[in-house]
Amino acid sequence: MTDASINASTVQQGDAEFGDYFALLKPRVMSLVVFTALVGLLAAPVGVHPVIGFSAILFIAIGGGASGALNMWWDADIDQVMKRTKSRPIPAGKVEPGEALSLGLALSGLSVIMLALATNVFAGAFLAFTIFFYVVIYTMWLKRATPQNIVIGGAAGAFPPVIGWIAATGSMAVEPWLMFALTFMWTPPHFWALALFMRSDYDDAGVPMLTVTHGRRSTRKHILIYTALLALLAVGTAFSGVGGPIYLVVALVLNALFLHGAWKISRRDEDDSEADNFKVERSFFKLSLLYLFLHFGAILAEAVLKSYGLGGW
């Protein structure tokens, strides 16, 4: 991929605006990064000064945005092919690839250095590793190399609560890795559900998503297996240091719904799916968005109650 090749295949539509550069940072993905990192920071068993806490979340958010810009720079060639991504700033001709690269690199350096200064060097180093993992390991290598791309690459999106915890404590513990595992195991069924009704996009772009390499039937089975494993992990987390009765109730309800949705997906054939435009798969995908938010919201609620001597077991 070269800047010239991307420029030649896009139609210039005028000067870029602030919103175009902001879109490079993948704000919707950034919102998940911010929320899970915030939960990781507040769930830590130490108090954090509000200014330090705000700074930590700000620089983690900037690091997440930097990753998004670098991802869009590298993936501009396939983004212009896929319906879901062709309106992004680079394939739409609003931002030059070189500008996205420069922005991503600048924000990466800024976020890492400032997080280290605002909190601790360990947190800054872990943010640097997360950016590297997402951009190099996932975007540049795994995404186009293996149908396990989203499984292994999902680790990048699961690191923020660990970074938040480290920013607060300066050390590791079991609890942030449980939050990591929750996001890590959630990622495959979430994206595979999307891939079921967006398979043509991945076919056109030549991305070896599981739906492309193994077919939809195999993908449905994988969704059910990963959802079952996720349910065990999610419910088990209720009995950890970040869990409690509120989290347990939320986990039981959500995982029952998630398992039911995965089971329905596994029982469907392609004729059923085509007939109703993948209604069940789309519903499962929407539920998956609510699933992660409510689990982390329950962890946050437990942390707040514990700070007042309530909650927990």
Side-chain angles (χ1 to χ4, degrees):
M1 186 190 73
T2 64
D3 289 2
S5 65
I6 299 302
N7 289 333
S9 58
T10 57
V11 178
Q12 297 301 317
Q13 299 179 1
D15 295 335
E17 299 178 353
F18 174 80
D20 299 318
Y21 291 109
F22 185 67
L24 284 174
L25 309 184
K26 294 190 174 182
R28 284 188 294 180
V29 176
M30 189 194 299
S31 66
L32 179 62
V33 169
V34 167
F35 182 60
T36 57
L38 177 65
V39 173
L41 185 142
L42 294 179
V46 297
V48 179
H49 191 282
V51 174
I52 295 177
F54 174 80
S55 299
I57 298 305
L58 173 63
F59 297 127
I60 292 171
I62 292 174
S67 298
L70 292 171
N71 171 271
M72 286 199 191
W73 161 70
W74 185 263
D75 278 350
D77 59 331
I78 62 175
D79 280 350
Q80 66 186 345
V81 176
M82 299 172 68
K83 296 177 183 177
R84 187 170 61 89
T85 58
K86 65 181 181 181
S87 62
R88 286 176 172 175
I90 299 176
K94 296 177 180 179
V95 175
E96 296 285 343
E99 292 179 308
L101 174 61
S102 298
L103 180 65
L105 291 175
L107 292 182
S108 294
L110 172 69
S111 62
V112 169
I113 293 172
M114 293 306 296
L115 182 63
L117 293 174
T119 59
N120 56 77
V121 174
F122 191 14
F126 209 92
L127 177 60
F129 172 75
T130 300
I131 296 171
F132 171 82
F133 191 98
Y134 182 73
V135 175
V136 178
I137 303 300
Y138 169 66
T139 301
M140 295 184 177
W141 176 34
L142 293 174
K143 186 172 183 177
R144 309 191 194 202
T146 171
Q148 294 300 307
N149 47 18
I150 206 62
V151 178
I152 306 171
F159 284 132
V162 181
I163 302 173
W165 183 286
I166 295 173
T169 67
S171 62
M172 291 286 196
V174 173
E175 288 81 5
W177 288 107
L178 288 174
M179 290 185 275
F180 166 90
L182 190 64
T183 308
F184 180 77
M185 292 300 295
W186 163 85
T187 302
H190 166 72
F191 276 102
W192 285 334
L194 173 67
L196 283 173
F197 58 85
M198 296 292 291
R199 174 180 168 174
S200 61
D201 263 12
Y202 295 108
D203 276 327
D204 295 342
V207 177
M209 190 64 79
L210 193 65
T211 49
V212 176
T213 61
H214 290 68
R216 286 181 174 146
R217 169 51 47 194
S218 177
T219 302
R220 295 176 189 277
K221 293 178 180 178
H222 277 73
I223 288 175
L224 180 59
I225 292 170
Y226 270 81
T227 300
L229 294 174
L230 173 61
L232 291 174
L233 170 68
V235 174
T237 300
F239 304 99
S240 71
V242 294
I246 295 175
Y247 175 88
L248 178 60
V249 171
V250 170
L252 288 172
V253 173
L254 281 175
N255 284 282
L257 293 173
F258 216 45
L259 279 169
H260 179 64
W263 173 255
K264 288 172 66 177
I265 285 177
S266 72
R267 305 296 294 174
R268 282 163 66 82
D269 58 31
E270 296 314 303
D271 291 335
D272 294 333
S273 299
E274 295 287 351
D276 62 11
N277 193 28
F278 297 91
K279 180 179 179 180
V280 173
E281 293 80 359
R282 292 176 187 274
S283 295
F284 182 87
F285 177 75
K286 291 178 182 178
L287 176 61
S288 72
L289 297 173
L290 190 63
Y291 178 98
L292 198 66
F293 174 79
L294 290 181
H295 274 83
F296 273 85
I299 293 174
L300 179 59
E302 294 285 359
V304 171
L305 288 174
K306 287 172 187 175
S307 69
Y308 289 99
L310 305 171
W313 297 107

